[in-house]
């Protein structure tokens, strides 16, 4: 087995099926590698890919009955789209109920992401879950974001609107008239999200897919007061840190409702707090993210 990843080939991912993007090459010694690339508008690897793969690498080192309940990550620098990544897992704890892992994602000698991942053996306990009380239409009653932009009176070219056309993700916004073509009047954004292609019934892959999705568009609520979504290209936005808590183990290829709010923006930083619900409106995960934010020079 090779100790170093081979040069990256864009042909390794078709841009649609996450099950061919996230899997890793096992280099031995809790070390993994990826040659696949999911680029963003800044010509960097999409942060959700790094989150999903860091989670997947950590999962390879724990017993299958232990499921992830927390991921916290710091984005150290942008990862380039034309270099492979390596992921080194450090086993911090294997207790009777919890396991803890540290994952460092690197390109060459440079670290691009540090992540802390915690796993737990399933246990019975008292239970409560928030139910989404706001009336939100089902995704079947809403229109895909790509169609909203493509069919708008303004005739926008999809390629000029960052992240709108991500072929593996289907996004159906709630009340798009509030933020798509005009600046929002409140720092809140809600949308349904799912993968376009189904995933195999592999729990670790579904957990990684939820991590992948949890980086998608969530900080727009922190600067949507200042620009409509179609004006995003005028802003430079990059993730600084990310937190994800699993309250349940949702499927990554079924509809999830993201309710994003920004309690504070300032000092060229945006901050989002996110509640993630399943189709039954049960809270299945929560996320936070801080981003760097500013007008492009």
């Amino acid at each position: 087995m090779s100790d170093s990843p081979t040069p990256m080939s864009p042909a390794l991912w078709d841009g649609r099926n996450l099950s061919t993007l996230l899997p890793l090459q096992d280099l031995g010694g809790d070390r993994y590698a990826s040659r696949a690339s999911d680029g963003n508008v800044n010509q960097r690897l999409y942060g959700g890919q790094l989150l999903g793969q860091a989670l997947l690498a950590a999962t390879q080192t724990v017993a299958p009955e232990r499921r992830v309940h927390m991921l916290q990550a710091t984005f150290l620098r942008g990862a380039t789209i034309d270099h492979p990544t390596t992921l080194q897992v450090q086993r911090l704890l294997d207790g009777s109920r919890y396991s803890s892992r540290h994952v460092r994602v690197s390109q060459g000698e440079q670290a691009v992401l540090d992540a802390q991942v915690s796993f737990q053996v399933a246990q019975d306990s008292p239970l409560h879950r928030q139910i989404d009380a706001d009336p939100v239409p089902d995704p079947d009653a809403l229109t895909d974001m790509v169609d909203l932009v493509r069919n708008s009176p303004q005739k926008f070219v999809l390629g000029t609107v960052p992240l709108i056309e991500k072929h593996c993700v289907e996004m159906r916004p709630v009340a798009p008239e509030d933020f798509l073509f005009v600046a929002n009047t409140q720092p809140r954004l809600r949308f349904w999200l799912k993968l376009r292609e189904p995933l195999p019934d592999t729990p670790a892959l579904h957990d990684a897919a939820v991590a992948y999705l949890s980086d998608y568009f969530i900080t727009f609520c922190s600067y949507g007061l200042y620009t409509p979504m179609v004006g995003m290209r005028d802003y430079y936005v990059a993730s600084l840190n990310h937190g994800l808590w699993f309250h349940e183990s949702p499927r990554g290829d079924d509809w999830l409702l993201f309710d994003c709010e920004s309690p504070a923006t300032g000092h060229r930083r945006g901050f989002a707090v996110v509640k993630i619900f399943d189709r039954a409106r049960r809270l299945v995960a929560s996320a936070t993210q801080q981003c760097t934010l500013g007008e492009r020079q």
Side-chain angles (χ1 to χ4, degrees):
M1 187 176 296
S2 172
D3 286 337
S4 60
T6 54
M8 187 172 287
S9 169
L12 287 175
W13 192 47
D14 61 6
R16 299 191 67 88
N17 196 327
L18 218 61
S19 62
T20 61
L21 171 71
L22 296 181
L24 302 166
Q25 177 186 0
D26 189 346
L27 302 179
D30 292 346
R31 189 165 174 257
Y32 303 88
S34 171
R35 294 186 292 135
S37 174
D38 180 11
N40 63 20
V41 69
N42 299 321
Q43 296 302 299
R44 296 290 187 264
L45 287 186
Y46 166 59
Q49 176 183 346
L50 298 175
L51 294 171
Q53 290 182 318
L55 174 51
L56 200 57
T59 304
Q60 308 307 306
T61 70
V62 299
E65 65 270 16
R66 298 186 177 223
R67 293 293 295 273
V68 63
H69 72 89
M70 182 277 292
L71 178 150
Q72 291 181 314
T74 300
F75 294 92
L76 301 173
R77 55 173 54 86
T80 60
I81 60 176
D82 54 354
H83 289 83
T85 56
T86 57
L87 302 91
Q88 180 67 58
V89 181
Q90 182 182 5
R91 304 187 185 212
L92 301 178
L93 171 72
D94 281 308
S96 59
R97 292 175 295 171
Y98 291 90
S99 291
S100 182
R101 298 291 186 263
H102 171 264
V103 185
R104 171 157 291 181
V105 185
S106 302
Q107 287 187 320
E109 298 299 318
Q110 291 190 325
V112 297
L113 180 95
D114 261 349
Q116 192 89 1
V117 189
S118 185
F119 301 84
Q120 181 185 15
V121 176
Q123 300 177 75
D124 292 330
S125 71
L127 174 68
H128 84 274
R129 292 284 183 273
Q130 180 177 346
I131 303 297
D132 185 26
D134 291 341
V136 176
D138 288 333
D140 297 338
L142 298 170
T143 304
D144 182 89
M145 175 69 83
V146 171
D147 293 331
L148 287 170
V149 174
R150 181 187 288 125
N151 299 326
S152 67
Q154 294 90 337
K155 303 298 181 184
F156 285 97
V157 177
L158 288 177
T160 67
V161 185
L163 291 179
I164 291 296
E165 193 172 29
K166 196 170 186 62
H167 297 297
C168 67
V169 175
E170 184 170 2
M171 177 184 182
R172 298 191 178 183
V174 177
E177 65 278 4
D178 291 344
F179 63 86
L180 187 53
F181 302 114
V182 297
N184 208 339
T185 59
Q186 58 180 334
R188 188 183 186 189
L189 177 69
R190 291 182 293 174
F191 52 85
W192 290 95
L193 209 60
K194 71 182 287 288
L195 297 176
R196 294 187 185 274
E197 300 291 336
L199 295 175
D201 290 328
T202 306
L205 188 57
H206 282 270
D207 293 341
V210 173
Y212 175 93
L213 292 172
S214 72
D215 187 47
Y216 190 70
F217 256 125
I218 63 173
T219 53
F220 181 73
C221 63
S222 67
Y223 56 98
L225 292 169
Y226 317 107
T227 178
M229 186 171 285
V230 292
M232 284 174 55
R233 186 171 287 276
D234 296 333
Y235 285 79
Y236 179 84
V237 182
S239 301
L240 294 172
N241 48 67
H242 189 93
L244 178 62
W245 293 264
F246 290 81
H247 311 307
E248 300 292 346
S249 299
R251 290 189 65 90
D253 56 3
D254 199 1
W255 286 109
L256 295 171
L257 174 64
F258 285 67
D259 188 344
C260 315
E261 288 194 86
S262 176
T265 292
H267 308 286
R268 290 187 174 268
R269 296 190 308 271
F271 180 64
V273 178
V274 185
K275 299 174 183 177
I276 305 173
F277 300 87
D278 63 11
R279 290 192 67 144
R281 310 304 201 271
R282 299 179 308 155
L283 184 69
V284 294
S286 300
T288 61
Q289 188 172 88
Q290 191 176 46
C291 68
T292 182
L293 168 66
E295 293 185 5
R296 291 186 183 274
Q297 301 300 318

